Amino acid sequence: MEALARDGWEVTAASRGGGRAENWPGEVRARRLDREDDAALGALIGDGCDLVVDMVAYEARHAEQLTGLADRIGSAVVVSTASVYADGKGRGFDTMGEPDGLPQYPVPIAEDQATVPPGDATYSTRKVALERELLSVGDRLPTTVLRPAAIHGPYSPLPRELYFVKRILDGRRRRVLAFRGESLFHTSAARNIAELIRLAATRPGSRVLNACDPQPPTVKEIGAAVDAVMGVETETVLLNGPAQASVGSSPWSVELPVVCDMSAAERELGYRPVVSYQDSLPETVDRLTRRLSGQDWREAFPTLARAYPDLFDYAAEDAWFAVRSA
């Protein structure tokens, strides 16, 4: 919102709560909107607008809402996900927990990589259905579909960095990381996604683009970067293989790399990242630290707690260390 407003766009930000972020310029208008209410969305668009940025579209029906208003929308930018990708055997994020279900993606993953089939079964299949519906009417509604991976930033409802931040705040000075801490799960800074949105807004088109940071850090590097921001030293114990139950399992711990190719965004939009992962951390760490003050992490970050319920199984870690040192 801030970037678009700086570029001279008249911005209306719609959400279920209707609130506004503390860093938004004063000229940004905030409106309350129930995305599932077709009539309310149509009323918000009114006689027309030059651009719709949709960060909560989830399935084909949401695409149909937008395409149904195509005669009143100049162009759109819609956020999808890198979890739509499938490997050569059809494996993807949804099959990671199955026998022989671990996807083996090319490094890096380009936008022409195969995707999982569209459908209603999972988050990934619904996002594919969303994408295909939007791209099928590119002549009537030019839409840039963005595929971020592990989104991060100070306002994220799923702040994976809490895995390290809370351990430090709790006085934990040892941690365990699976796969020798070398897992690569491409990160996507909210500020870099915003830059892609800003560029796509001025260059409408029907396209799919990855939306990730310039160089993904390993999980070991992420831990070291958080340590540096918080001014501590933490001993990191590295497992040669996978996590042992919850011990060693972080939100980035994947056995095989998930790294996205950003050359298409550079070529088509002139994209250059505005922030590195490490440079974005201080603001995120500060906000996480303040949010945790005086409340349980599950209350502060319910989305994260649902996705990773065993994130802080200290009893299991202590038992593992006890056996290791016996």
Side-chain angles (χ1 to χ4, degrees), residues 35-57:
R35 174 53 190 276
E36 301 303 323
D37 187 335
D38 295 355
L41 179 60
L44 182 69
I45 299 298
D47 293 334
C49 64
D50 294 320
L51 173 71
V52 168
V53 178
D54 194 339
M55 293 181 282
V56 295

Side-chain angles (χ1 to χ4, degrees), residues 2-9 198-199 201-202:
E2 186 179 4
L4 290 173
R6 283 200 310 268
D7 277 1
W9 293 83
R198 185 186 73 83
L199 294 170
T202 62

Side-chain angles (χ1 to χ4, degrees), residues 25-94:
E27 61 268 27
V28 173
R29 300 180 294 269
R31 298 287 186 271
R32 188 185 301 272
L33 174 69
D34 179 356
R35 174 53 190 276
E36 301 303 323
D37 187 335
D38 295 355
L41 179 60
L44 182 69
I45 299 298
D47 293 334
C49 64
D50 294 320
L51 173 71
V52 168
V53 178
D54 194 339
M55 293 181 282
V56 295
Y58 178 53
E59 57 192 0
R61 197 184 83 78
H62 294 149
E64 291 164 1
Q65 285 180 312
L66 297 178
T67 59
L69 298 167
D71 60 336
R72 290 189 268 164
I73 299 173
S75 68
V77 182
V78 177
V79 176
S80 183
T81 172
S83 76
V84 300
Y85 288 120
D87 71 1
K89 295 183 178 180
R91 300 170 299 194
F93 280 50
D94 296 334

Side-chain angles (χ1 to χ4, degrees), residues 209-293:
L209 296 173
N210 289 328
C212 298
D213 293 340
Q215 179 62 42
T218 65
V219 63
K220 182 169 57 177
E221 291 170 336
I222 293 172
V226 174
D227 283 354
V229 171
M230 300 185 73
V232 302
E233 292 184 7
T234 303
E235 176 190 356
T236 302
V237 179
L238 303 176
L239 298 177
N240 287 323
Q244 299 183 16
S246 63
V247 178
S249 177
S250 81
W252 302 270
S253 292
V254 289
E255 183 174 354
L256 299 175
V258 179
V259 177
C260 294
D261 187 347
M262 289 303 299
S263 61
E266 296 170 4
R267 183 175 61 252
E268 295 193 26
L269 299 181
Y271 167 70
R272 295 294 182 272
V274 297
V275 68
S276 68
Y277 182 86
Q278 288 80 359
D279 289 343
S280 74
L281 264 182
E283 187 180 7
T284 297
V285 170
D286 177 68
R287 184 168 177 83
L288 293 180
T289 300
R290 288 188 283 112
R291 283 286 302 276
L292 281 179
S293 179

Side-chain angles (χ1 to χ4, degrees), residues 57-60 63 79-86 94 113-120 122-136 145 147 208:
Y58 178 53
E59 57 192 0
V79 176
S80 183
T81 172
S83 76
V84 300
Y85 288 120
D94 296 334
Q113 177 69 21
T115 68
V116 297
D120 296 327
T122 69
Y123 173 77
S124 300
T125 61
R126 290 185 179 203
K127 282 288 194 177
V128 174
L130 165 80
E131 291 186 5
R132 293 195 182 180
E133 176 66 24
L134 289 168
L135 296 173
S136 70
V145 173
R147 291 175 176 168
V208 176

